[in-house]
Amino acid sequence: MARKRRRRSVARRNALLGGAAVAALLVAEAWARVWPYVVGVAGVGAVGVAAWWMWRTDRLARGADRRWRAEEALRLGRRSLAEVDALSWQDFERYVAELCRRDGCTDVTVTGRSGDLGADVAATLPDGRRLVVQCKHYAPHRTVPSGDVQKFIGTAWLHHRADAAAFVATRRFSNAALALAVRHRILAVHRDLLGQWDTGTPLLALYPLNGTAQGPRPTR
């Protein structure tokens, strides 16, 4: 009885070994046929993964570079009001022109000469309208007088045919000058609004603040 059980056990073991050997031969034979395809698929997959990784890395790098360039351009385009005060009147006009370009204006020109009838800077707004800017770089003790605003009103609309007009000054406006500008749709960019424009607020976004937020002291 014990011998029969041993013979059966040996027979099952031999059958399993034989089956395993046959299976190994079949797998080996099949592998010999399919391995080029398996390797090819694996290679294509590896190339695809590498290409995706390179594309993603390049995209991230380009995005980071664009953000850095935008931040750097904004940083270089900003000046402290103390730096603005140190500009000559010619450089101040060019500085205002730079801000117009930053806001998307095109055809920006700086006259830089006498007899310009108030059009120190002229430009085309992003929506196609004509913008005329009067620039005044005043001494610290000055305020914008109503007479200067009155002269600009007469030339901006009638002579230059402007669609939008701004009077940009390094100092505050007198109460009469500010009221006159607001009444005649002139954007009065006094010192405080100039600081906001300088630090990124678009020029046309200052219109709702026209006549407000003006510092109380001429030397501010």
Side-chain angles (χ1 to χ4, degrees):
M1 195 68 178
R3 290 180 180 177
K4 289 182 179 181
R5 284 198 296 270
R6 283 197 296 272
R7 283 197 295 271
R8 289 174 184 170
S9 177
V10 171
R12 283 196 298 270
R13 186 173 64 250
N14 291 338
L16 290 173
L17 291 174
V22 171
L25 289 174
L26 291 175
V27 169
E29 183 178 356
W31 176 253
R33 296 173 182 170
V34 303
W35 76 265
Y37 303 101
V38 174
V39 172
V41 170
V44 170
V47 170
V49 170
W52 174 85
W53 180 82
M54 293 175 64
W55 170 82
R56 180 172 174 79
T57 301
D58 179 71
R59 184 179 180 183
L60 292 174
R62 288 177 181 271
D65 182 68
R66 282 194 299 269
R67 288 191 297 273
W68 177 83
R69 289 181 183 276
E71 291 171 359
E72 186 69 6
L74 185 59
R75 185 187 68 80
L76 292 175
R78 291 176 176 172
R79 296 174 184 263
S80 69
L81 289 181
E83 290 176 314
V84 173
D85 290 339
L87 296 175
S88 66
W89 65 267
Q90 297 96 331
D91 287 336
F92 180 64
E93 291 180 357
R94 286 189 283 269
Y95 156 75
V96 170
E98 289 174 6
L99 293 178
C100 290
R101 292 189 185 94
R102 185 206 66 191
D103 288 350
C105 293
T106 56
D107 303 321
V108 181
T109 58
V110 180
T111 59
R113 64 177 185 272
S114 61
D116 54 24
L117 297 177
D120 295 318
V121 176
T124 301
L125 292 167
D127 59 9
R129 292 183 298 156
R130 177 172 172 76
L131 170 69
V132 172
V133 184
Q134 168 83 80
C135 304
K136 288 295 185 181
H137 191 277
Y138 287 117
H141 65 280
R142 292 283 307 276
T143 59
V144 180
S146 60
D148 284 359
V149 175
Q150 187 173 3
K151 292 176 184 177
F152 183 54
I153 291 170
T155 59
W157 306 128
L158 299 177
H159 180 75
H160 297 295
R161 304 292 183 184
D163 299 306
F167 194 117
V168 182
T170 54
R171 298 296 155 185
R172 69 189 300 273
F173 284 61
S174 69
N175 292 336
L178 191 59
L180 190 63
V182 172
R183 189 181 312 127
H184 290 275
R185 299 178 293 112
I186 301 294
L187 175 57
V189 183
H190 49 70
R191 186 172 181 82
D192 293 318
L193 292 189
L194 178 60
Q196 293 189 40
W197 191 21
D198 177 69
T199 53
T201 303
L203 179 64
L204 296 184
L206 299 177
Y207 263 103
L209 302 176
N210 193 20
T212 64
Q214 182 175 221
R217 297 186 302 277
T219 56
R220 180 171 177 176

